[in-house]
Amino acid sequence: MLNAEALFGDLEDVGLGTSQQALATLLQQRIAPGAHGHLEDWENIIDRLPAAEGLCVNTHPVAIDISGPHLAAMEPDELRRLLLALAPWRKGPFRIQGIGIDAEWRSNLKWDRFHDKIASLEGRTILDVGCGNGYYACRMRAAGASRIVGIDPTLLFVCQFAALRKMSGISSVHVLPLRLHELPGNSAMFDSTFSMGVLYHQRNPHDHLRQLRDTLRDGGELILETLIVPGSHHEVLQPENRYARMRNVWHLPTVPSLSEWLQDAGFQDIRVIDVTRTTTDEQHSTDWMPFESLAEALLPDDPMTTIEGLPAPTRAIIACTT
Ligand SMILES: C[S@@+](CC[C@H](N)C(=O)[O-])C[C@H]1O[C@@H](n2cnc3c(N)ncnc32)[C@H](O)[C@@H]1O
């Protein structure tokens, strides 16, 4: 059975301005027996995966590519079986000893939209809120960030990253099972904070934006990505029930409304980096995420409209500073 340090890496390196013991205690609670019905199975899988000796991640423009003799020593069918047992893989792609993990999202497309339009990540300390399985955290480390703390309450994604960390030997990247408001210690220390795909899931977007601001040092940069509705006026769509089949989407502002929310939360230099409608090329079902996806959330004869009759998912990426 894995302990907190085996799952999350060297906690001394996390550096949240809280004691290592306090953080270890909090994390241990998250993975206590009974915390999740499948946690023991996932931990057993991670246990069986071969550990890298040294760094085994290769930079690649699309996939996170992990390979090495430790992985070659395992039968490819067995490696694939273990990785599939950690499905669904929502973010990717990854390539592990030649096995392509074709995730639901082609996350490289989003990375390409923002990575050269924000402050250089070289040497920066980064918080990635709602980091999923750490796909972007790995890209940030490859782009020169010195330390990345990713937080995400979904234990499966935390376990996927623990598996990737073990096989890749990647250092100074941590994915911890925490929500933003649970971040312990003095977190106003990050050079860059990312919140991508998280804001629309928060009932109170203003609290989330203020909490994001409180994670940044003076002059730090927020990179925010969220669902919006097209429009040049101040408007906010609040879906009554589901939106694109999702149960917990609370608000879709226009870009002017979103900019005003950011201003109210204390951000300045607000720059819209990208606005893109999500297509089924970017988000789709695969062998690694076999459930329904965007295609089933749109009208069959009208990709601009969701099955609830609302505008199809469009996302904005905004950068701003404290
Ligand atoms: C739509 S996914 C986005 C993942 C990734 N950031 C991306 O852009 O592809 C949203 C993620 O945010 C996580 N999440 C939701 N509420 C959160 C919170 N309050 N703090 C941290 N993560 C949260 C969910 O578990 C989920 O993995």
Side-chain angles (χ1 to χ4, degrees):
M1 185 60 61
L2 299 170
N3 60 26
E5 185 158 347
L7 263 183
F8 309 126
D10 179 0
L11 296 181
E12 232 171 285
D13 181 55
V14 173
L16 283 174
T18 185
S19 81
Q20 196 193 340
Q21 188 51 49
L23 184 60
T25 305
L26 178 62
L27 296 176
Q28 201 71 57
Q29 285 166 5
R30 292 298 142 87
I31 57 167
H36 192 291
H38 291 300
L39 186 58
E40 210 172 314
D41 299 337
W42 298 332
E43 287 182 333
N44 284 332
I45 291 164
I46 298 165
D47 241 351
R48 294 174 63 184
L49 290 168
E53 288 175 25
L55 187 61
C56 297
V57 192
N58 308 303
T59 45
H60 185 276
V62 175
I64 310 283
D65 192 316
I66 299 170
S67 58
H70 62 301
L71 289 165
M74 185 172 242
E75 277 294 316
D77 284 353
E78 173 66 353
L79 182 55
R80 187 183 159 85
R81 196 184 63 74
L82 290 175
L83 295 171
L84 266 173
L86 289 176
W89 289 81
R90 299 230 173 238
K91 311 298 164 181
F94 297 91
R95 200 167 58 198
I96 310 207
Q97 197 65 22
I99 297 168
I101 298 185
D102 183 14
E104 178 188 18
W105 283 85
R106 294 175 63 196
S107 308
N108 54 297
L109 298 178
K110 193 194 295 188
W111 173 261
D112 288 343
R113 289 182 195 120
F114 69 77
H115 76 94
D116 56 355
K117 299 190 179 74
I118 59 175
S120 163
L121 299 180
E122 192 72 46
R124 281 169 96 96
T125 298
I126 294 177
L127 177 67
D128 186 6
V129 178
C131 63
N133 62 20
Y135 174 89
Y136 294 106
C138 294
R139 301 289 311 246
M140 292 169 195
R141 184 77 172 116
S146 60
R147 183 162 52 87
I148 301 113
V149 178
I151 55 171
D152 199 299
T154 307
L155 280 173
L156 172 62
F157 304 153
V158 173
C159 288
Q160 287 176 353
F161 180 73
L164 296 167
R165 190 171 57 77
K166 184 174 183 189
M167 293 182 289
S168 68
I170 198 166
S171 62
S172 301
V173 182
H174 301 272
V175 171
L176 308 177
L178 299 172
R179 291 181 185 275
L180 177 57
H181 71 270
E182 298 169 329
L183 212 55
N186 169 19
S187 61
M189 50 179 286
F190 291 95
D191 300 313
S192 304
T193 291
F194 289 75
S195 167
M196 302 193 292
V198 184
L199 185 72
Y200 52 84
H201 288 315
Q202 312 305 310
R203 277 177 195 260
N204 186 329
H206 308 288
D207 281 353
H208 185 74
L209 293 175
R210 276 191 295 270
Q211 287 162 4
L212 290 171
R213 186 204 54 207
D214 290 345
T215 66
L216 285 161
R217 63 157 170 82
D218 276 353
E221 186 175 62
L222 171 72
I223 297 90
L224 178 77
E225 188 240 28
T226 194
L227 286 168
I228 54 111
V229 278
S232 52
H233 299 291
H234 287 256
E235 264 173 65
V236 182
L237 171 67
Q238 293 177 306
E240 275 177 27
N241 294 307
R242 295 187 180 216
Y243 173 71
R245 295 178 57 256
M246 292 181 276
R247 235 182 251 115
N248 53 353
V249 174
W250 300 103
H251 42 75
L252 297 94
T254 57
V255 167
S257 287
L258 185 56
S259 302
E260 189 176 58
W261 291 359
L262 284 162
Q263 236 168 0
D264 291 347
F267 290 100
Q268 51 192 351
D269 307 325
I270 297 163
R271 294 182 292 124
V272 180
I273 285 179
D274 183 77
V275 176
T276 297
R277 185 170 58 81
T278 308
T279 66
T280 51
D281 184 41
E282 182 169 358
Q283 185 191 11
H284 52 215
S285 313
T286 70
D287 288 350
W288 297 81
M289 201 303 289
F291 308 119
E292 292 185 343
S293 185
L294 180 61
E296 291 77 22
L298 301 176
L299 291 179
D301 53 357
D302 178 8
M304 304 296 283
T305 307
T306 70
I307 53 171
E308 300 85 10
L310 297 170
T314 296
R315 290 169 163 83
I317 306 176
I318 293 188
C320 50
T321 54
T322 53

